[in-house]
Amino acid sequence: MQPIFTMQYGEFAVADFLSKRIKDVSVFIPASAQEKGIDLLLYRHDHGCNKLNTVQVKMSRTYYNDKPDSGYPYYLWFNRFNVQQNANWYILVGIYARHSDDELNAKANSTSWDTIMLALTNKEMSLFMSEVKQKKDPSKDDKMFGFGFNARKEIFQTRGFSEERDMSHYLIENRIDEIRHSFL
């Protein structure tokens, strides 16, 4: 019998990123899709204690701006979701084809794939979702939220808030030490 195991790319990208950047951590993937709110489990055995972090991954396809003079070259869109209390971290993932700035319709051999990830604690994600409101009527929840970003990985919330706001401090590269030290 051949073992067969599949997982969504966003979960793989997060697992790969974290396992390469946090020493002495194992990444576990639930074998059952029944566990709501947990896509990955980060595990570390530390001084005789089992320590863990639970991670929920949300992924968006990337939308490309065909008018590079307006807005950002890349956009992510997410549907509003309920924040699960059993996830310590929420990682929002987008994969995009990076190309030279002067060639929007680049050839396949001049294109490389890259991933952008935002990392928010459960508390931060809860606050963020409570702030996802319509621009036209800020008293109403928006059903979606979105981000615009560039190849330098500067990312801004462009939908779901009354004004555009810089979200670059939530990039996973900027939060890796916090994740490393947040094991329970």
Side-chain angles (χ1 to χ4, degrees), residues 5 16 23 29 85 170:
F5 182 78
D16 185 57
K23 293 190 186 267
I29 301 153
Q85 292 307 305
Y170 290 110

Side-chain angles (χ1 to χ4, degrees), residues 62 76 92-96 114-118 149-150 153-155 171-173:
T62 300
L76 304 174
L92 306 176
V93 180
I95 181 172
Y96 62 102
D114 206 348
T115 307
I116 190 162
M117 296 182 237
L118 296 170
F149 66 99
N150 57 35
K153 292 198 175 176
E154 298 167 321
I155 188 165
L171 287 167
I172 197 166
E173 303 88 62

Side-chain angles (χ1 to χ4, degrees), residues 9-106:
Y9 178 78
E11 294 169 10
F12 167 77
V14 172
D16 185 57
F17 183 90
L18 293 174
S19 65
K20 288 178 178 174
R21 284 164 183 81
I22 302 176
K23 293 190 186 267
D24 303 322
V25 69
S26 296
V27 180
F28 289 84
I29 301 153
S32 168
Q34 301 301 320
E35 188 59 46
K36 296 289 183 205
I38 298 175
D39 292 319
L40 302 171
L41 183 86
L42 305 178
Y43 169 81
R44 174 187 292 150
H45 187 76
D46 189 23
H47 295 49
C49 295
N50 294 321
K51 297 185 176 185
L52 60 98
N53 258 319
T54 54
V55 178
Q56 173 70 46
V57 177
K58 299 289 186 184
M59 187 165 170
S60 167
R61 67 170 279 212
T62 300
Y63 298 86
Y64 300 93
N65 184 357
D66 57 357
K67 299 174 189 155
D69 295 338
S70 64
Y72 300 95
Y74 312 105
Y75 287 91
L76 304 174
W77 294 91
F78 294 89
N79 290 321
R80 182 184 197 89
F81 57 85
N82 293 324
V83 177
Q84 303 289 324
Q85 292 307 305
N86 57 344
N88 300 118
W89 286 91
Y90 275 82
I91 312 292
L92 306 176
V93 180
I95 181 172
Y96 62 102
R98 189 185 337 189
H99 44 68
S100 62
D101 291 336
D102 60 342
E103 216 179 322
L104 185 60
N105 297 316

Side-chain angles (χ1 to χ4, degrees), residues 118-151:
L118 296 170
L120 291 91
T121 64
N122 189 290
K123 186 177 181 178
E124 291 167 340
M125 194 77 239
S126 294
L127 176 62
F128 177 86
M129 291 305 287
S130 73
E131 296 174 339
V132 174
K133 303 290 183 184
Q134 296 177 5
K135 285 185 181 182
K136 293 178 186 174
D137 185 356
S139 67
K140 293 183 181 177
D141 291 341
D142 199 337
K143 63 180 181 174
M144 298 184 79
F145 58 95
F147 305 95
F149 66 99
N150 57 35

